[in-house]
Amino acid sequence: MKNDISPDFKTPHFMAILQQYERAMDEGSRPYFESDDLLLLAEYYATIGKFEQGDKVVDYALSLHPDNPDIQTFKCGNLMAQGQYEQAEKLLDLMTDPNDREALLLRAQLMLNKSFPEEAARIFDRLYRQDQTLDTILDIVDVCLDTYSYDLAKEWLDVAYAEAPHHPDVLESMVDYLHSSGNDNQLPPFLNELIDLYPYESRYWKNLAHAYMGMNELEKAHEAVDFALAIHDKDPMAYQIKGAIYLLENDTDHAIGAFKKAEANSNDKSVAWLALMQCYYYLKDYPNCEKYAELALTLPNLNDSEKANAYQKLADCFIKKGELKKAYDHLILSQQLDKENYQLYLTWGELMFRIEKREEALFFLHNGLLLAKNTEFEVEATETAAQICLMGDEWLQALEWFEEVDRKDSEYNQCNYLSMAYCCFQLNRETQAVTYLQKAVSLSPASFDDLLYRQMASTDRKFYQLAESIRRHDGSGQ
């Protein structure tokens, strides 16, 4: 599972090397560095997601130390990570000692990447015959996990577990295997055993919290991450986990508090800012959503999907402010980066309604729902499309989509009964309108306090009178 950044990257020696290297690259000079320092630099850039810079360090290292097997091994691994298997194989053939342990592990990894598992298995057997140690077995497991060869990883992990079931390295490998293969529900016993061995290792507590989140055991998740925070009370990753747990509990206010603590204690603000953007968007607090979306877009390490999401959120904020040209421009930017985001098309739909292009609006909404179909967001997306149609006076389509939400999750849909009643009223279906008003009164009385109800009431006095007459009863149908 994902661990914190290596302590090696926080030492004064490493920081000095990093500063010296980056200054040399800016100046175009070529100073000498020890091979170990350059490898650490390459690992650092890979860890923070700057893979291109990492590749440049490795190439620079090879120019200074062309026969260094560790650098050759690292370069070979980089080539395979980029899918350049032929170049990796050529480098392996040129390595000074092709029978070196690391070279053999890389060749086995190459065989797995090229879908030759039998050849990889033969190399593994050869390695184990040469050195029948736990380290060899766990190195083999790591190669299998890196290439998503989970069945083969499990075979060797069973060997390791039979030999040393309580060894911390075996437990670590078991955790990595279970997480990578999607079996997080089996993680707690192994993580708890690691915690018994190392109770002050906060990453085990954080990984345990993640596991409980996946199992929807949120109280246990809170307890685990609280232990991590007791060890390091300014751990940004722990606060991010805490915020994510609150979101699963639909407690957005506390989630915001946790993400703000992550923001305050982290050098990399990307996770906190994107999470805060999402929280405020959910709360319809568009000024704060806009603030954090713009902050996130100042960061250099966002991927295309994250940038697209931020542009889409900004577009929606601009629609709410009536700045439709800005909204259009930001939707174009979002679409250029990610055409598969269902929210992009829903926002296009809302913009089209605002500029009175109803056919285009419905076209975009239907396409957004097609992208969300059979995903965890399907119900939420359908509700959003219905609300956009409601805003655009497209009563029949709004009602149909609200009814679809009701069929799929009637409890989730309770807050929409008032809107469904309004649609029915506009369609002259007064009996149906009364039924939905009665449901709203009994199941979602708070919806009568929303701004939406006040807008309905001010727009249509007759609907307001009908709704208030039903509110005076107890919602029992009388």
XYZ file of all heavy atoms in Angstrom, residues 174-247:
606
model
N 2.453 -9.548 2.194
C 1.067 -10.009 2.199
C 0.108 -8.819 2.093
O -0.888 -8.858 1.354
C 0.786 -10.808 3.473
C -0.600 -11.429 3.502
S -0.842 -12.691 2.221
C -0.003 -14.094 2.961
N 0.428 -7.746 2.804
C -0.398 -6.523 2.731
C -0.383 -5.961 1.314
O -1.433 -5.604 0.759
C 0.116 -5.483 3.756
C -0.486 -4.105 3.479
C -0.226 -5.925 5.176
N 0.800 -5.886 0.713
C 0.898 -5.367 -0.659
C 0.104 -6.232 -1.633
O -0.592 -5.717 -2.512
C 2.366 -5.315 -1.105
C 3.138 -4.197 -0.432
O 2.489 -3.263 0.086
O 4.383 -4.259 -0.407
N 0.227 -7.549 -1.475
C -0.493 -8.466 -2.367
C -2.008 -8.301 -2.225
O -2.735 -8.179 -3.226
C -0.102 -9.913 -2.071
C -1.084 -10.913 -2.630
C -1.129 -11.180 -3.995
C -1.992 -11.563 -1.783
C -2.060 -12.078 -4.520
C -2.914 -12.459 -2.297
C -2.951 -12.706 -3.660
O -3.882 -13.586 -4.179
N -2.503 -8.286 -0.990
C -3.951 -8.204 -0.770
C -4.503 -6.889 -1.284
O -5.570 -6.842 -1.909
C -4.267 -8.377 0.718
C -4.028 -9.781 1.278
C -4.161 -9.780 2.790
C -4.996 -10.793 0.650
N -3.768 -5.801 -1.050
C -4.232 -4.487 -1.521
C -4.209 -4.422 -3.048
O -5.186 -3.993 -3.666
C -3.355 -3.381 -0.931
C -3.730 -2.018 -1.404
N -4.950 -1.439 -1.107
C -3.058 -1.109 -2.169
C -5.010 -0.238 -1.670
N -3.874 -0.022 -2.318
N -3.109 -4.865 -3.641
C -2.972 -4.788 -5.100
C -4.006 -5.668 -5.811
O -4.491 -5.313 -6.888
C -1.566 -5.219 -5.523
O -0.590 -4.393 -4.945
N -4.330 -6.799 -5.224
C -5.264 -7.728 -5.874
C -6.724 -7.452 -5.507
O -7.614 -8.231 -5.854
C -4.902 -9.174 -5.505
O -4.947 -9.367 -4.096
N -6.967 -6.337 -4.792
C -8.347 -5.939 -4.497
C -9.001 -6.701 -3.378
O -10.228 -6.843 -3.342
N -8.191 -7.173 -2.436
C -8.745 -7.930 -1.301
C -8.519 -7.183 0.018
O -8.039 -7.753 0.999
C -8.095 -9.318 -1.242
C -8.503 -10.178 -2.416
O -9.644 -10.586 -2.540
N -7.555 -10.444 -3.306
N -8.877 -5.897 0.031
C -8.649 -5.070 1.216
C -9.390 -5.576 2.451
O -8.967 -5.313 3.579
C -9.070 -3.623 0.937
C -8.029 -2.876 0.100
O -7.109 -3.537 -0.401
O -8.144 -1.651 -0.033
N -10.496 -6.297 2.243
C -11.253 -6.806 3.390
C -10.480 -7.857 4.188
O -10.841 -8.173 5.320
C -12.590 -7.391 2.923
C -12.414 -8.545 1.961
O -11.497 -8.545 1.138
N -13.272 -9.535 2.053
N -9.386 -8.395 3.600
C -8.561 -9.377 4.313
C -7.331 -8.745 4.978
O -6.520 -9.445 5.581
C -8.107 -10.468 3.341
C -9.251 -11.265 2.721
C -8.754 -12.278 1.703
O -7.719 -12.919 1.885
N -9.496 -12.429 0.608
N -7.192 -7.418 4.858
C -5.988 -6.749 5.352
C -5.888 -6.617 6.873
O -4.777 -6.719 7.423
C -5.888 -5.345 4.727
C -5.392 -5.268 3.286
C -5.580 -3.856 2.748
C -3.928 -5.659 3.218
N -6.973 -6.335 7.596
C -6.830 -5.985 9.016
C -6.003 -6.952 9.861
O -5.162 -6.486 10.648
C -8.285 -5.888 9.504
C -9.019 -5.384 8.293
C -8.370 -6.104 7.142
N -6.149 -8.285 9.756
C -5.333 -9.159 10.623
C -3.823 -8.965 10.407
O -3.058 -8.941 11.382
C -5.770 -10.572 10.221
C -7.111 -10.412 9.598
C -7.092 -9.083 8.930
N -3.406 -8.799 9.167
C -1.974 -8.642 8.867
C -1.474 -7.266 9.315
O -0.375 -7.147 9.856
C -1.722 -8.870 7.382
C -2.125 -10.238 6.916
C -3.320 -10.434 6.231
C -1.339 -11.349 7.199
C -3.711 -11.702 5.822
C -1.709 -12.621 6.794
C -2.901 -12.800 6.105
N -2.290 -6.235 9.105
C -1.893 -4.903 9.557
C -1.859 -4.827 11.078
O -0.969 -4.202 11.665
C -2.860 -3.857 8.986
C -2.667 -3.551 7.497
C -3.858 -2.759 6.954
C -1.370 -2.790 7.261
N -2.810 -5.485 11.724
C -2.806 -5.481 13.191
C -1.582 -6.197 13.748
O -1.032 -5.805 14.786
C -4.097 -6.113 13.722
C -5.260 -5.134 13.705
O -5.101 -3.957 14.048
N -6.431 -5.598 13.304
N -1.145 -7.251 13.058
C 0.058 -7.945 13.506
C 1.293 -7.051 13.337
O 2.177 -7.028 14.203
C 0.231 -9.261 12.737
C 1.293 -10.158 13.345
C 1.273 -11.578 12.794
O 0.307 -11.956 12.092
O 2.239 -12.316 13.080
N 1.333 -6.293 12.240
C 2.439 -5.339 12.047
C 2.386 -4.238 13.102
O 3.414 -3.787 13.611
C 2.365 -4.731 10.645
C 2.873 -5.622 9.507
C 2.424 -5.077 8.159
C 4.399 -5.736 9.559
N 1.178 -3.810 13.451
C 1.020 -2.775 14.482
C 1.478 -3.300 15.835
O 2.086 -2.572 16.628
C -0.446 -2.291 14.518
C -0.724 -1.397 13.299
C -0.744 -1.535 15.808
C -2.181 -1.094 13.067
N 1.205 -4.578 16.112
C 1.706 -5.172 17.377
C 3.227 -5.132 17.430
O 3.817 -4.925 18.502
C 1.211 -6.615 17.495
C -0.282 -6.692 17.790
O -0.842 -5.680 18.243
O -0.881 -7.753 17.536
N 3.866 -5.321 16.252
C 5.327 -5.295 16.205
C 5.873 -3.866 16.255
O 6.896 -3.599 16.887
C 5.814 -5.986 14.925
C 5.562 -7.486 14.811
C 5.860 -7.975 13.392
C 6.448 -8.249 15.820
N 5.181 -2.954 15.568
C 5.654 -1.565 15.452
C 4.490 -0.608 15.731
O 3.924 -0.001 14.816
C 6.217 -1.302 14.054
C 7.262 -2.291 13.610
C 6.972 -3.264 12.652
C 8.550 -2.269 14.147
C 7.930 -4.177 12.237
C 9.515 -3.178 13.750
C 9.195 -4.135 12.791
O 10.144 -5.040 12.393
N 4.104 -0.465 16.993
C 2.897 0.322 17.312
C 3.009 1.809 16.986
O 1.989 2.494 16.876
C 2.725 0.099 18.818
C 4.071 -0.327 19.309
C 4.707 -1.071 18.188
N 4.227 2.310 16.823
C 4.393 3.742 16.542
C 4.709 4.009 15.070
O 5.159 5.099 14.715
C 5.482 4.340 17.434
C 5.110 4.269 18.903
C 5.682 3.313 19.733
C 4.149 5.129 19.430
C 5.320 3.220 21.066
C 3.774 5.046 20.758
C 4.361 4.089 21.574
O 3.990 4.003 22.895
N 4.470 3.014 14.214
C 4.654 3.207 12.770
C 3.315 3.681 12.208
O 2.387 2.900 11.975
C 5.090 1.897 12.113
C 5.379 1.998 10.625
C 6.441 3.011 10.282
O 7.630 2.768 10.597
O 6.067 4.056 9.717
N 3.187 4.988 11.953
C 1.881 5.574 11.632
C 1.309 5.062 10.308
O 0.087 5.010 10.144
C 1.978 7.099 11.600
O 2.844 7.533 10.573
N 2.178 4.675 9.359
C 1.644 4.248 8.065
C 0.801 2.979 8.196
O -0.137 2.786 7.416
C 2.755 4.062 7.041
C 3.733 2.952 7.312
C 4.903 3.011 6.331
N 5.937 2.055 6.668
C 6.042 0.861 6.120
N 5.159 0.476 5.219
N 7.029 0.051 6.458
N 1.114 2.129 9.170
C 0.279 0.941 9.353
C -1.121 1.335 9.828
O -2.124 0.755 9.395
C 0.926 -0.024 10.351
C 2.238 -0.610 9.881
C 3.298 -0.817 10.767
C 2.429 -0.970 8.555
C 4.513 -1.349 10.346
C 3.637 -1.508 8.119
C 4.672 -1.690 9.018
O 5.869 -2.222 8.591
N -1.182 2.306 10.712
C -2.487 2.776 11.179
C -3.274 3.405 10.028
O -4.494 3.199 9.904
C -2.306 3.787 12.313
C -1.829 3.196 13.602
C -0.592 3.311 14.153
C -2.597 2.405 14.516
N -0.527 2.635 15.350
C -1.745 2.066 15.605
C -3.908 1.935 14.534
C -2.173 1.304 16.679
C -4.342 1.171 15.598
C -3.472 0.854 16.652
N -2.584 4.175 9.181
C -3.270 4.811 8.044
C -3.755 3.762 7.043
O -4.877 3.856 6.518
C -2.342 5.829 7.372
C -2.127 7.089 8.211
C -1.223 8.103 7.540
C 0.224 7.707 7.603
N 1.121 8.772 7.109
N -2.919 2.766 6.783
C -3.344 1.693 5.880
C -4.517 0.908 6.457
O -5.423 0.482 5.726
C -2.178 0.757 5.600
C -1.126 1.384 4.697
O -1.380 2.383 4.034
N 0.058 0.798 4.663
N -4.526 0.727 7.774
C -5.646 0.049 8.426
C -6.920 0.877 8.285
O -8.004 0.334 8.020
C -5.316 -0.182 9.906
C -6.338 -0.976 10.718
C -6.519 -2.381 10.151
C -5.905 -1.054 12.194
N -6.793 2.199 8.430
C -7.957 3.072 8.240
C -8.498 2.948 6.825
O -9.711 2.854 6.602
C -7.579 4.522 8.553
N -7.594 2.931 5.833
C -8.004 2.742 4.437
C -8.760 1.429 4.258
O -9.788 1.369 3.569
C -6.765 2.720 3.529
C -6.443 4.046 2.916
N -7.315 4.715 2.091
C -5.333 4.830 2.996
C -6.764 5.841 1.689
N -5.557 5.938 2.234
N -8.240 0.370 4.860
C -8.882 -0.943 4.727
C -10.296 -0.917 5.313
O -11.249 -1.404 4.683
C -8.037 -2.011 5.432
N -10.442 -0.328 6.497
C -11.773 -0.262 7.117
C -12.725 0.619 6.309
O -13.933 0.367 6.263
C -11.658 0.246 8.549
C -11.192 -0.821 9.526
C -10.172 -0.552 10.452
C -11.762 -2.083 9.541
C -9.742 -1.522 11.349
C -11.342 -3.060 10.427
C -10.333 -2.775 11.330
O -9.909 -3.740 12.221
N -12.192 1.676 5.666
C -13.043 2.497 4.792
C -13.619 1.646 3.668
O -14.808 1.737 3.356
C -12.234 3.656 4.206
C -11.974 4.795 5.161
S -10.798 5.985 4.465
C -11.690 6.567 3.026
N -12.757 0.835 3.045
C -13.216 -0.034 1.966
C -14.244 -1.048 2.418
O -15.085 -1.483 1.634
N -14.185 -1.409 3.698
C -15.141 -2.371 4.263
C -16.373 -1.675 4.840
O -17.263 -2.327 5.388
C -14.435 -3.184 5.361
C -13.266 -4.005 4.854
S -12.143 -4.528 6.195
C -13.204 -5.665 7.082
N -16.395 -0.334 4.742
C -17.480 0.498 5.272
C -17.619 0.380 6.788
O -18.692 0.599 7.345
C -18.816 0.181 4.588
C -19.772 1.361 4.646
O -19.353 2.515 4.572
N -21.054 1.091 4.802
N -16.530 0.043 7.465
C -16.510 0.034 8.932
C -15.892 1.367 9.377
O -14.723 1.444 9.766
C -15.730 -1.167 9.441
C -16.384 -2.501 9.085
C -15.739 -3.678 9.805
O -15.224 -3.489 10.920
O -15.747 -4.786 9.238
N -16.711 2.404 9.320
C -16.196 3.767 9.421
C -15.779 4.130 10.845
O -14.853 4.932 11.036
C -17.233 4.749 8.889
C -17.647 4.496 7.422
C -18.596 5.577 6.942
C -16.422 4.420 6.518
N -16.440 3.561 11.836
C -16.025 3.841 13.216
C -14.612 3.303 13.470
O -13.769 3.977 14.076
C -17.020 3.209 14.201
C -16.750 3.598 15.651
C -17.809 3.071 16.601
O -18.920 2.734 16.138
O -17.528 3.005 17.822
N -14.348 2.086 12.980
C -12.999 1.515 13.123
C -11.985 2.313 12.302
O -10.827 2.468 12.711
C -12.997 0.054 12.684
C -13.736 -0.883 13.639
C -13.649 -2.319 13.152
C -14.336 -3.273 14.125
N -14.271 -4.683 13.655
N -12.418 2.833 11.150
C -11.528 3.654 10.325
C -11.135 4.919 11.075
O -9.962 5.323 11.081
C -12.204 4.003 9.006
N -12.115 5.550 11.729
C -11.825 6.744 12.543
C -10.820 6.413 13.651
O -9.866 7.163 13.885
C -13.111 7.279 13.181
C -13.861 8.253 12.327
N -13.310 9.425 11.868
C -15.134 8.223 11.851
C -14.213 10.089 11.149
N -15.319 9.373 11.118
N -11.043 5.298 14.331
C -10.144 4.918 15.433
C -8.724 4.724 14.937
O -7.762 5.184 15.565
C -10.658 3.624 16.089
C -11.941 3.788 16.885
C -12.472 2.454 17.395
O -11.804 1.417 17.158
O -13.554 2.445 18.021
N -8.570 4.065 13.788
C -7.235 3.787 13.250
C -6.514 5.075 12.875
O -5.341 5.275 13.217
C -7.332 2.856 12.048
N -7.210 5.970 12.173
C -6.540 7.207 11.745
C -6.286 8.121 12.941
O -5.307 8.894 12.947
C -7.349 7.911 10.631
C -8.538 8.681 11.181
C -6.437 8.849 9.837
N -7.106 8.025 13.971
C -6.853 8.820 15.182
C -5.574 8.363 15.874
O -4.843 9.180 16.457
C -8.044 8.726 16.138
C -9.231 9.563 15.670
O -9.033 10.426 14.787
O -10.360 9.342 16.159
N -5.285 7.061 15.816
C -4.011 6.575 16.363
C -2.839 7.142 15.559
O -1.806 7.522 16.116
C -3.967 5.048 16.345
C -4.579 4.405 17.568
C -5.775 3.712 17.482
C -3.953 4.507 18.808
C -6.348 3.127 18.611
C -4.507 3.918 19.940
C -5.712 3.233 19.841
N -3.008 7.208 14.227
C -1.952 7.795 13.388
C -1.723 9.250 13.758
O -0.579 9.722 13.833
C -2.328 7.674 11.907
N -2.800 9.970 14.029
C -2.674 11.385 14.395
C -2.120 11.549 15.802
O -1.495 12.575 16.109
C -4.033 12.072 14.266
C -4.479 12.336 12.824
C -5.953 12.718 12.761
C -3.617 13.418 12.203
N -2.340 10.558 16.653
C -1.734 10.613 17.993
C -0.215 10.477 17.904
O 0.516 11.033 18.732
C -2.321 9.509 18.866
N 0.253 9.769 16.883
C 1.698 9.599 16.679
C 2.287 10.863 16.054
O 3.331 11.366 16.474
C 1.971 8.365 15.803
C 1.504 7.095 16.525
C 3.457 8.252 15.455
C 1.421 5.864 15.638
N 1.609 11.379 14.996
C 2.050 12.612 14.321
C 0.824 13.498 14.142
O 0.023 13.277 13.238
C 2.675 12.296 12.957
C 3.914 11.451 13.030
N 5.052 11.864 13.673
C 4.192 10.221 12.534
C 5.981 10.918 13.586
N 5.475 9.903 12.906
N 0.681 14.493 15.000
C -0.548 15.290 14.982
C -0.602 16.306 13.844
O -1.583 17.046 13.718
C -0.763 15.998 16.319
C 0.331 17.009 16.635
O 1.319 17.087 15.889
O 0.182 17.741 17.638
N 0.441 16.333 13.008
C 0.421 17.226 11.853
C 0.619 16.450 10.547
O 1.127 16.982 9.558
C 1.493 18.306 11.995
C 1.221 19.266 13.153
C 2.251 20.384 13.226
C 1.910 21.343 14.364
N 2.897 22.461 14.454
N 0.201 15.208 10.548
C 0.368 14.331 9.385
C -0.701 14.663 8.344
O -1.889 14.366 8.542
C 0.235 12.873 9.828
C 0.491 11.880 8.702
O 0.355 12.272 7.527
O 0.816 10.721 8.997
N -0.326 15.291 7.210
C -1.348 15.702 6.235
C -2.110 14.525 5.634
O -3.319 14.624 5.390
C -0.539 16.456 5.171
C 0.875 15.994 5.335
C 1.038 15.671 6.775
N -1.403 13.390 5.408
C -2.084 12.240 4.817
C -3.148 11.692 5.766
O -4.235 11.292 5.339
C -1.084 11.153 4.455
C -1.707 10.011 3.648
S -0.523 8.708 3.242
C 0.525 9.595 2.090
N -2.851 11.708 7.056
C -3.843 11.235 8.033
C -5.077 12.129 8.028
O -6.216 11.649 8.109
C -3.219 11.186 9.423
N -4.869 13.440 7.914
C -6.020 14.352 7.851
C -6.812 14.154 6.563
O -8.043 14.278 6.557
C -5.557 15.801 7.976
C -5.234 16.210 9.397
C -3.954 16.626 9.755
C -6.208 16.172 10.393
C -3.650 16.990 11.065
C -5.920 16.536 11.701
C -4.631 16.934 12.026
O -4.347 17.289 13.321
N -6.119 13.835 5.474
C -6.833 13.545 4.219
C -7.709 12.307 4.383
O -8.855 12.271 3.912
C -5.826 13.339 3.089
C -5.115 14.610 2.651
C -3.888 14.326 1.802
O -3.700 13.221 1.300
N -3.032 15.321 1.635
N -7.169 11.279 5.042
C -7.958 10.067 5.294
C -9.152 10.389 6.189
O -10.281 9.943 5.943
C -7.078 8.971 5.935
C -5.986 8.539 4.950
C -7.925 7.772 6.350
C -4.909 7.664 5.584
N -8.900 11.198 7.216
C -9.976 11.599 8.126
C -11.089 12.305 7.348
O -12.285 12.033 7.542
C -9.397 12.528 9.202
C -10.340 12.819 10.360
C -10.394 11.679 11.334
C -11.181 12.036 12.589
N -11.467 10.847 13.414
N -10.689 13.216 6.455
C -11.679 13.918 5.641
C -12.466 12.969 4.752
O -13.685 13.110 4.601
N -11.779 11.994 4.171
C -12.453 11.028 3.294
C -13.465 10.186 4.076
O -14.548 9.863 3.560
C -11.423 10.130 2.629
N -13.133 9.846 5.315
C -14.075 9.080 6.145
C -15.325 9.919 6.415
O -16.458 9.436 6.315
C -13.425 8.639 7.477
C -12.212 7.744 7.212
C -14.445 7.897 8.340
C -11.347 7.507 8.444
N -15.128 11.188 6.756
C -16.279 12.071 6.982
C -17.160 12.171 5.737
O -18.389 12.208 5.840
C -15.808 13.468 7.390
C -15.384 13.589 8.839
C -14.155 14.147 9.179
C -16.226 13.179 9.873
C -13.765 14.281 10.505
C -15.846 13.299 11.200
C -14.609 13.854 11.515
O -14.230 13.976 12.826
N -16.537 12.214 4.558
C -17.329 12.283 3.328
C -18.179 11.027 3.155
O -19.337 11.106 2.714
C -16.417 12.464 2.118
C -15.772 13.849 1.944
C -14.886 13.867 0.705
C -16.833 14.941 1.845
